[in-house]
Amino acid sequence: MSRTMGQQCLHYLRLLPPGRRPALPELTIRCFSLGQGTNIAQRLTDLWRDLIHCFYSGLRPSGSRYLLETGDEFLLLQFLQQQPQVYRYKDYDRLLEKLSQPQADYSPLVVDRYALRDKPLAAISQTIKVPGIYLFYQVDVETAHDSRHWARIMLVDEKGSLFTARAHYYNQQTFLRPLLIFIRNALQHQQWSGDLHSALMLDNIQVYELEPARHYLSSGRSGPLLVQARQFPAQWMRIPLMNIKAIADMNADGQLLFSLYCDEQEFSPLAYGDELMPAVARYILGHRRTGEHYPGYITDLDLSLCRETIVQQTGLQLSHYLQIKTDLEMQLNQAMRQLLA
């Protein structure tokens, strides 16, 4: 889609924001390119129809986001206060960063039918039909035979914000169990604080593994990903696990401080200062059998004492909890590695 065509489309969208009564204009496209004219005209016609279905059919929330790929750019379209906003990104990681931002209301992501065919976003968008908590993960096939390989976590929260992270993967149980425990605890905190309005999400966390199709895997080429639903046995939650809880508070300078509790053993910033994480790491390693080297996981996070400071307009989302958890775990595991070195 050319920049001129895009500007014309935006002009029509500004004139007729979703919810207005006037009928949308009929679009007729003629392309006078030799050889490709018919294909180009059909592509633009399909795009226009998909945009109409996304924003004007009444089947999706007014704050939905539409993502398409054109040339070397990703374009993200969203109506904010009934005005179309277009965000352009040449870098995929910058796009993911934008998609992680909090939303005022539920905002599903719609990926254009021709965009990102070899990326997880296309498979994720096609899988999600209703609001909920959707956890996707993809094991890195390049490290699948290493003793410590990696997996990519992609979680869509209750408002459609996308959280992404990379984590060590040993097996499905050790990878998913601490994460699911944390998610349930965070959702419970959200419900208590009024940020989560549907208790159904507490017991309805959808888990999917993303896998490359075999014929793409064997050829070494990238292609569409298969989405496999994964179930986790209820007994996983009953297996003993050291609970590591963090409670956030603000100091006089407006900085976030965290007190950590390891099975009720308290480690406060007042008592330990800059040595808080090394002290927690030392405690955790001291309660493991000799030779056990695996990451430490935050299993609970209480943000109630600083909720209004962290976010004032949108309310705390699950993705806020997950980002803070990731930052704390990075510090904790770095301290553990230094003690083991």
Side-chain angles (χ1 to χ4, degrees):
M1 183 174 67
S2 70
R3 189 175 293 269
T4 301
M5 176 65 76
Q7 290 171 345
Q8 291 174 346
C9 288
L10 275 179
H11 175 69
Y12 284 123
L13 295 175
R14 288 192 181 100
L15 290 176
L16 298 167
R20 293 287 179 87
R21 287 290 183 181
L24 292 169
E26 290 289 335
L27 183 67
T28 301
I29 297 174
R30 297 287 184 267
C31 182
F32 301 100
S33 170
L34 292 176
Q36 294 296 320
T38 301
N39 291 337
I40 293 173
Q42 185 61 52
R43 167 68 180 116
L44 291 174
T45 300
D46 290 341
L47 175 59
W48 180 253
R49 288 173 178 169
D50 290 344
L51 287 171
I52 296 303
H53 184 268
C54 177
F55 294 112
Y56 295 92
S57 66
L59 300 176
R60 294 184 181 276
S62 60
S64 297
R65 293 162 292 172
Y66 191 93
L67 175 63
L68 65 143
E69 193 174 2
T70 171
D72 61 349
E73 281 189 322
F74 304 107
L75 302 183
L76 184 66
L77 173 63
Q78 183 180 22
F79 279 88
L80 297 175
Q81 297 180 343
Q82 292 202 325
Q83 289 299 311
Q85 306 294 324
V86 177
Y87 308 94
R88 298 175 180 270
Y89 301 96
K90 290 184 177 294
D91 183 75
Y92 183 69
D93 289 335
R94 291 289 305 278
L95 170 65
L96 294 181
E97 184 179 332
K98 174 63 178 177
L99 295 175
S100 72
Q101 292 181 357
Q103 300 293 318
D105 299 294
Y106 177 57
S107 175
L109 177 67
V110 180
V111 177
D112 180 71
R113 65 178 77 184
Y114 295 101
L116 299 168
R117 290 182 171 183
D118 61 342
K119 299 290 187 182
L121 282 180
I124 290 172
S125 172
Q126 293 168 7
T127 302
I128 297 175
K129 305 300 182 185
V130 296
I133 306 299
Y134 295 87
L135 171 62
F136 299 84
Y137 68 96
Q138 182 180 9
V139 179
D140 187 347
V141 295
E142 294 182 359
T143 63
H145 300 292
D146 297 345
S147 59
R148 294 179 62 187
H149 50 284
W150 294 86
R152 170 68 65 178
I153 297 168
M154 292 148 286
L155 182 138
V156 178
D157 73 9
E158 69 280 6
K159 288 188 177 179
S161 296
L162 176 70
F163 168 81
T164 62
R166 197 164 178 255
H168 287 295
Y169 183 93
Y170 297 88
N171 56 54
Q172 190 184 55
Q173 176 184 316
T174 58
F175 177 71
L176 288 178
R177 188 165 66 101
L179 182 55
L180 291 171
I181 290 174
F182 178 87
I183 290 172
R184 286 185 171 179
N185 285 334
L187 293 174
Q188 189 72 67
H189 286 297
Q190 286 182 273
Q191 190 178 28
W192 290 337
S193 64
D195 291 319
L196 186 70
H197 302 295
S198 175
L200 296 176
M201 292 188 185
L202 285 169
D203 298 311
N204 193 29
I205 303 168
Q206 305 295 317
V207 181
Y208 299 92
E209 182 174 2
L210 300 176
E211 298 178 324
R214 287 188 178 181
H215 60 279
Y216 284 107
L217 187 60
S218 59
S219 67
R221 295 182 293 119
S222 58
L225 295 168
L226 301 177
V227 181
Q228 308 286 354
R230 297 296 184 224
Q231 303 295 326
F232 47 95
Q235 59 264 30
W236 279 11
M237 299 303 174
R238 295 193 290 268
I239 299 174
L241 176 72
M242 177 179 284
N243 289 310
I244 305 175
K245 180 176 182 177
I247 299 179
D249 201 354
M250 288 284 180
N251 65 10
D253 297 325
Q255 295 177 316
L256 273 179
L257 297 178
F258 296 91
S259 296
L260 272 70
Y261 295 80
C262 301
D263 287 339
E264 307 306 323
Q265 177 67 41
E266 180 181 3
F267 298 86
S268 71
L270 183 62
Y272 289 91
D274 293 339
E275 292 300 309
L276 186 144
M277 280 303 179
V280 175
R282 196 173 297 111
Y283 180 88
I284 294 171
L285 293 174
H287 285 73
R288 290 182 178 177
R289 289 190 289 268
T290 303
E292 286 187 330
H293 296 168
Y294 54 90
Y297 299 103
I298 305 295
T299 56
D300 196 2
L301 175 62
D302 186 349
L303 301 176
S304 59
L305 296 177
C306 48
R307 173 178 175 272
E308 297 300 328
T309 305
I310 295 175
V311 57
Q312 298 180 352
Q313 296 180 343
T314 61
L316 281 174
Q317 297 176 214
L318 178 57
S319 52
H320 288 111
Y321 286 84
L322 288 166
Q323 187 57 62
I324 293 174
K325 162 189 159 71
T326 300
D327 294 342
L328 289 174
E329 287 178 350
M330 189 179 301
Q331 299 173 45
L332 174 60
N333 289 309
Q334 182 180 358
M336 292 171 66
R337 287 193 298 271
Q338 290 174 349
L339 290 174
L340 292 169

